[in-house]
Amino acid sequence: MSALTSLALPHVAGLHAYTPGLQPTEPGWVKLNTNEFPYPPSPRVAEALREELGEAGAVLRLYPNPKSQPLRAAIAACHGEGLSEGNVCVGNGSDDILNLLIRAFCTRASLAGFTLPSYSLYPVLVGIQDGGTEAIHFDRSMRLPVERIQASSASAFFLTSPNAPTGVGFGNAELARVLAGYRGLLVVDEAYAPFADENALSLLARHPNLVVVRTLSKAYALAGIRVGYALAHPEIIEVLDRVRDSYNVNRLSQVAALAALGDQTYYDRVIARVKATRDQGVRALGEGRGWFTYRSQANFIFTEPKNGRGESGPAVAKSAYDFLSGHKVLVRHFPSHALTASFLRISVGTEAEMRVLSETFDTWLKNSHG
Ligand SMILES: *Cc1c(COP(=O)(O)O)cnc(C)c1O
């Protein structure tokens, strides 16, 4: 460790940064690796941004609304469920919200719980705070380990639903069972809920220890604008407001998010299209190719490729990943966990992108006998 690094706090000196999916800069890639939305955002978003900026962007001289107040009100109104502004905190992406939750609720003594596999950012955020973690492992069925979460000693438990990278969704009946026994803060990270059959919003009214986290990055085609939010009891929202940056969401992001939420008709249509492409993709890989593929409730597909000899496993998944990358088709491979290493996670793209993916798998199969 260099002398300068050792000036940092000991736990920081030992940290590893989160590894985001590749963002290639040259054109020509079929990019199915970071679960971005394949279609553009509502046209109202660009219109609203142009209007906000005007000719000279003079409004950028001014600080944004510190609480994103109009956006909190719009979010509450668009979800209904008796929610009001006091139930909403907006963040610079939902990653910001997850960070605030960990900052406010987790330390060495107050553990952060999560399942494995799930969103791999949670332990990274806990590490930054020098906090302690408790991991609960799925088995290959990927069914929710309800009793083990109920019995968890964690102060806050982070549950990704639908889960990542599997795409498996958890029903409200199961979540209600978890909530019936778990006394800590249950954070349900619903980044992919708009693609799912069910979501946890209706449980909020009865369970003050439930936090639902949403993002506009996936289903609203706004990953580049960085807006996410928490829905929770007003006392929890107040705690989050104590630990966030006072101007955590910039002016243009607030305007873009408001415009997007105002055009639900547009999003209903394009989300339905992504779901149809997803279901077709799951059938093509599962029934079509005979590859084990989880039923997806998200905008990605988790599948276990078989090579030309009918074999699967970590080396086969790696071979498929490398072959796809060599043909400028980018997906995601998670080799570090036994339940994910033999799978690929494929974001649902346009119909044309999914055809290129399928043709490239065909070519890989023809080349994978040797
Ligand atoms: C993508 C993703 C996020 C991050 O969303 P941002 O709003 O872009 O920060 C959070 N949770 C899960 C499970 C995700 O997949």
Side-chain angles (χ1 to χ4, degrees), residues 18 34-35 91-98 118-122 159-164 189-192 213-218 222-224 226-229 299-300 345:
Y18 176 73
T34 46
N35 301 342
N92 179 34
S94 58
D95 289 350
D96 183 25
I97 295 291
L98 297 168
S118 72
Y119 187 34
S120 56
L121 182 71
Y122 310 137
L159 186 64
T160 318
S161 179
N163 198 15
D189 181 349
E190 290 199 331
Y192 302 103
V213 179
R214 291 284 183 100
T215 177
L216 300 200
S217 294
K218 310 286 162 56
L222 289 175
R226 315 299 308 128
V227 173
Y229 53 92
N299 69 335
F300 53 84
R345 190 197 70 187

